[in-house]
Amino acid sequence: MHEAFRSLPGRYLGAHADFDATYHLRLGDIGHTWELRCTTHGARVRAGVTGRRPDVVIGSDSETWLALRRGDLSGIEAFSQRRLYARGDLDLAIGFEGMFRLPNGRPPLLRIHNVEEHGNRISTLTMGEGPDVLLLHGLGGTKSSFFDTAAALSRRYRVHALDFPGFGGSSKPALARY
């Protein structure tokens, strides 16, 4: 199990400028936590935790973690099946999986992308393969409102869910016309 975590830095795809996040990855069935710090410059993993407060805690069991690592299951599917939980910054939790190549260099099953539009950032989630489907939330919603729907549709479609400006991981400009 330790190798599944030690390989993360070598599979790290990088992050945007000034990115710095600390993740605690807990496997409840074996009672162990790994700390992973991801920055613009790389990723570092260690068994156990330091005094650094995590931005996100992701918990699961070892069987689910290995299925995620192999690409047999996406994090959103595991979350929908109640096999994974996340505490803390939900956008960082969702984006975690997309920051790492799968074994054998395969791309991640899902990615969080930031699209720049007129100086603002629109946060999007993309997962699955096939014809494109776009999921648009209503007032008070976010892309995370579509986890179950995106997980189900991603088996047959390439699903895109976005956060409208002012919501979720998108920019929240003070003077924008919402």
Side-chain angles (χ1 to χ4, degrees), residues 19-91:
F19 185 82
D20 188 350
T22 299
Y23 299 85
H24 284 181
L25 308 169
R26 294 185 179 155
L27 296 185
D29 62 329
I30 62 173
H32 201 79
T33 301
W34 285 263
E35 182 173 275
L36 181 66
R37 184 166 180 198
C38 299
T39 68
T40 306
H41 307 292
R44 292 186 313 254
V45 67
R46 63 176 287 147
V49 296
T50 64
R52 186 177 176 90
R53 184 174 179 195
D55 297 291
V56 177
V57 175
I58 298 173
S60 188
D61 59 79
S62 54
E63 180 184 333
T64 300
W65 183 263
L66 291 174
L68 292 165
R69 184 180 184 274
R70 288 189 308 266
D72 296 340
L73 179 72
S74 76
I76 290 180
E77 289 172 313
F79 180 82
S80 294
Q81 296 170 13
R82 310 302 181 246
R83 295 171 59 184
L84 178 144
Y85 68 85
R87 305 285 185 267
D89 186 320
L90 190 55
D91 271 352

Side-chain angles (χ1 to χ4, degrees), residues 76 94 111-113 115 122-127 133-137 142-147 149-151 158-164 170:
I76 290 180
I94 296 166
R111 291 296 304 257
I112 298 292
H113 301 277
V115 178
I122 305 297
S123 180
T124 66
L125 163 75
T126 301
M127 62 186 294
V133 172
L134 179 61
L135 304 175
L136 303 172
H137 65 77
T142 65
K143 66 182 174 288
S144 64
S145 304
F146 291 113
F147 282 173
T149 304
R158 185 170 132 163
V159 179
H160 308 274
L162 61 88
D163 286 330
F164 283 122
S170 292

